[in-house]
Every structure is written in structure tokens, then in C-alpha cells.
Amino acid sequence: MGTTENLKDYKDVMMFHFDATGNLRAQYGVRRQENNKYSEQNPNTQKTYLSQDGRHVYWMIGEISGLREQGGMESGTLKVLYYPAVTKIDLASAKLTSFVKFGNEQFFLNNSLPELPMGNHNTIVYFGENKSGKTMWFGQMPLE
């Protein structure tokens, strides 16, 4: 049995912004929006998406809200309840917008297929469900 001495403790989320020659242009550090025992013991998922015009990057951080036990055929397994928090970074000024939470803290991403980039439409579609898993949720985020 593990002890608390063996547990990792995750805090801030970091990202580094390099220019075309490899020089550090900016570094971004943000506090996680969720600070519970599950989020502190697990790293946040991070993804970046380049805008179609190449002037912005969307930075998605998967915020862990909690866990729930699965039912039915998946009984006995745990589902991570996490949602996307997204900011838009202006590459020219190296400034980022406030993070936006998708799912209104009521809907959480599907653990197997959380998102689907729609290249032709320049959008991301998020897939998920409510906390009980009985109501499906789809969210669309345009990459302007």
C-alpha cells in the first residue's frame, strides 16, 4: 500500500512560447481552476491548436473536477470528470485572454473520445456527458 510520501503534488500549469529561431519569447504559468485531491494528484491534459490564420494559439487545459464510478458494463471502473478550460494566445503580442470553461461545470468530457478536430471547419467538437452519465453533451469551439 502506498503512502502519502509517494504521491505527487501537481500545482501550476506551464507553457513555453518559442520564436521561429528557437529563442524563448514568453512563458505562461496559470493556476489550475480545480484544486481538489484528484486534480492535485494528477497532471492536467494540455493541448494546443493553431488558428487558421496562424496568428493565435488556443491552449486547452483539462481541469479535473472529480471522479465517479461507472455503471452497467463498465461497473467497477472510474471515470475522470474533467472539462476543457481554453484561452486564446496572440502570438504577436504574447498575451492571453481569460480562460473559458466549457460545459458550465455540469458536463464533462468523455474519457475515450473527448474531442474531434474538424479540420475543414476549423473547429473543435467536444464530446461528453453530465455527472451521472445519463445526458450526452456536445460543445463546438471555433478556431477563428
Side-chain angles (χ1 to χ4, degrees):
M1 177 176 275
T3 65
T4 56
E5 294 172 15
N6 296 334
L7 295 177
K8 293 185 181 190
D9 190 17
Y10 294 93
K11 300 274 185 204
D12 298 342
V13 182
M14 305 293 293
M15 184 168 70
F16 299 96
H17 176 174
F18 296 94
D19 66 16
T21 61
N23 294 314
L24 181 64
R25 178 116 200 301
Q27 61 186 22
Y28 310 102
V30 296
R31 296 238 182 254
R32 288 189 328 257
Q33 295 183 29
E34 296 291 337
N35 290 297
N36 55 59
K37 67 180 180 179
Y38 307 109
S39 64
E40 289 175 357
Q41 295 173 4
N42 294 284
N44 294 78
T45 300
Q46 297 183 64
K47 295 193 177 180
T48 56
Y49 305 98
L50 186 63
S51 66
Q52 193 167 14
D53 63 10
R55 297 185 338 201
H56 301 95
V57 167
Y58 293 85
W59 180 19
M60 188 280 286
I61 299 174
E63 292 283 351
I64 301 170
S65 179
L67 300 174
R68 80 165 158 83
E69 189 170 341
Q70 299 276 60
M73 294 177 65
E74 297 179 305
S75 184
T77 62
L78 295 175
K79 175 184 175 22
V80 177
L81 299 174
Y82 78 107
Y83 60 87
V86 182
T87 185
K88 182 178 179 180
I89 301 171
D90 184 310
L91 295 175
S93 68
K95 297 204 184 290
L96 49 91
T97 63
S98 295
F99 277 86
V100 174
K101 297 179 185 180
F102 280 77
N104 298 322
E105 298 182 55
Q106 297 175 13
F107 296 96
F108 304 95
L109 296 176
N110 180 287
N111 289 175
S112 299
L113 181 64
E115 79 229 8
L116 180 63
M118 306 291 284
N120 294 342
H121 302 288
N122 207 35
T123 61
I124 303 294
V125 176
Y126 292 112
F127 300 104
E129 63 262 347
N130 65 348
K131 190 172 185 175
S132 69
K134 296 184 189 244
T135 302
M136 292 182 70
W137 169 74
F138 298 94
Q140 182 177 356
M141 181 181 75
L143 302 176
E144 301 169 342

